[in-house]
Amino acid sequence: MTTNREIHLASRPDGWPTPENFRLVDTSVPTAGDGQLVVRNLVMSVDPYMRGRMNDVKSYVPPFRLDAPLDGGAVGEVVQSRAEGFAPGDVVLHGLGWREYALVDAGSARTVDPTLAPVNAYLSVLGMPGLTAYAGLLEVAGMRAGEMVFVSAAAGAVGSLVGQIAKLRGAARVVGSAGSPAKVERLRALGFDAAFDYHDGPVRDQLRAAAPDGIDVYFDNVGGDHLEAAIGALRPHGRAAICGMIAQYNATEPPAAPRNLALVIGKQLTLRGFLVNSYGHLREQFVREVSGWLRDGRLHHDETVVDGIENAPAAFLGLLRGENLGKMLVRL
């Protein structure tokens, strides 16, 4: 192959992104220099955090550049190597998705074994979403056996794993919120003790009905009314791991909630934001424990797969609208 297709950021969105913010561009397949690999991507990830990178604002990661390819997690096959330790045919995890062929610095690639798990798993349950769920629940929130846990966006790639890990680690009760009856039903099948559709009424009221004795831990993927409801439901010395706030990623006005932050004082709550990159020290423990649960059939993960690099923008927009069950991936 001599032609490479990439998705470029054509313009910065104001509010919700649209297809016009993206452009499919034909380029040449790159050639590896010293210490580099050319990787033919097999599957790539689209993730909520990418919406923030579409804005030209200072953040914990640089914004995407206009008229240049976006990037993100991908797994692919090495087709050319000029780096020690890598050979054509190796399968690697790296950070240059949104293109069919990637020129990757060897120091930014990690070999994965497709015989141990399907390559998709390295972008989901055994990858960034899995480690996010594991570290956020167990280290950031410090969940202990016997506690009550609430997870928002619980049918997503991270949230669905959080709820299952909580049960496997001995939580007394796990409650999840999701955006459709089908997702609620799926959460119950995954072992959540209770689940509700946030469209069916105020989150505060539905959470109170699902956890009448309150909660000890909240894993936040949504923010807004979910965070406000959780603050109200958290018991004294409760903890919240703030992973994401997708409810406001596309907002053009400041969010109205939470309006009850003063409760944090009297209840002596801990609300702690975190980035998964700070928890690499847990990776070996995470892989060992989670792979064991997968082998035993005690942990399940869902995927929504869209085919074709040309459909990556639609997959990303669908993710923001909540059209995915579990991890949203693009197969190239």
Side-chain angles (χ1 to χ4, degrees), residues 79-105:
V79 295
Q80 183 189 14
S81 172
R82 293 190 60 187
E84 186 177 350
F86 295 90
D90 288 348
V91 178
V92 296
L93 173 67
H94 63 91
L96 294 179
W98 294 86
R99 66 205 80 187
E100 292 176 320
Y101 288 84
L103 181 62
V104 180
D105 291 334

Side-chain angles (χ1 to χ4, degrees), residues 114-197:
T115 67
L116 292 180
V119 294
N120 291 11
Y122 294 102
L123 292 172
S124 59
V125 63
L126 292 177
M128 182 267 287
L131 182 57
T132 300
Y134 188 90
L137 177 70
L138 301 178
E139 182 147 322
V140 178
M143 191 214 85
R144 298 181 291 270
E147 292 192 316
M148 314 280 253
V149 178
F150 172 45
V151 187
S152 58
V158 173
S160 60
L161 298 175
V162 172
Q164 293 180 82
I165 292 169
K167 292 297 291 185
L168 288 164
R169 280 294 197 98
R173 186 170 180 80
V174 177
V175 176
S177 71
S180 73
K183 289 182 178 182
V184 167
E185 189 62 31
R186 179 56 179 160
L187 294 181
R188 293 183 177 129
L190 290 175
F192 283 67
D193 297 289
F196 60 84
D197 183 341

Side-chain angles (χ1 to χ4, degrees), residues 8-24:
H8 288 203
L9 184 63
S11 59
R12 300 196 184 280
D14 180 18
W16 283 84
T18 68
E20 290 69 33
N21 296 127
F22 304 89
R23 182 181 299 119
L24 179 64

Side-chain angles (χ1 to χ4, degrees), residues 211-229:
D213 296 325
I215 60 175
D216 302 291
V217 169
Y218 172 48
F219 195 103
D220 190 17
N221 293 303
V222 174
D225 59 349
H226 280 73
L227 179 55
E228 182 174 289

